[in-house]
């Protein structure tokens, strides 16, 4: 039950003000635009990564700028990992993989 409350707090924080723009900023920095095939999926992945990062470091909540920098980097890594995995699977299915 505590986990659900923490996630609820994280979602509230993300939706408060302009914090959700972190997710869109990460996608823009990776040159992923709204016309990308998986854009909406990546936005959702970014939101989930945002919540996970927020929940991971409750002691950083006093310093919002520092916390948002950490969340940005965490979201970026999560999305990059997902993109790499998708590319590996696509390459393997296309016969390019070494496996």
């Amino acid at each position: 039950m505590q986990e659900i409350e923490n996630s609820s707090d994280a979602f509230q924080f993300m939706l408060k003000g302009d914090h959700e723009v972190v997710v869109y900023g990460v996608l823009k920095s990776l040159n992923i635009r709204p016309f990308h095939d998986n854009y909406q999926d990546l936005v959702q992945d970014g939101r989930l990564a945002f919540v996970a990062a927020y929940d991971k470091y409750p002691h950083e909540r006093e310093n919002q700028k520092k916390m948002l920098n950490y969340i940005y980097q965490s979201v970026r890594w999560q999305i990059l990992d997902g993109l790499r995995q998708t590319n590996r699977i696509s390459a393997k299915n296309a016969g390019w993989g070494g496996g």
Side-chain angles (χ1 to χ4, degrees), residues 44-62:
Q44 294 301 329
D45 289 345
R47 289 176 178 151
L48 293 173
F50 186 107
V51 168
Y54 181 88
D55 286 343
K56 212 174 201 182
Y57 288 93
H59 59 280
E60 293 294 344
R61 295 192 183 138
E62 296 82 35

Side-chain angles (χ1 to χ4, degrees), residues 76-94:
R76 183 175 169 85
W77 287 337
Q78 185 73 28
I79 289 175
L80 280 172
D81 286 346
L83 291 171
R84 284 186 195 114
Q85 183 179 12
T86 301
N87 286 341
R88 269 195 312 271
I89 291 169
S90 294
K92 193 170 189 176
N93 288 340

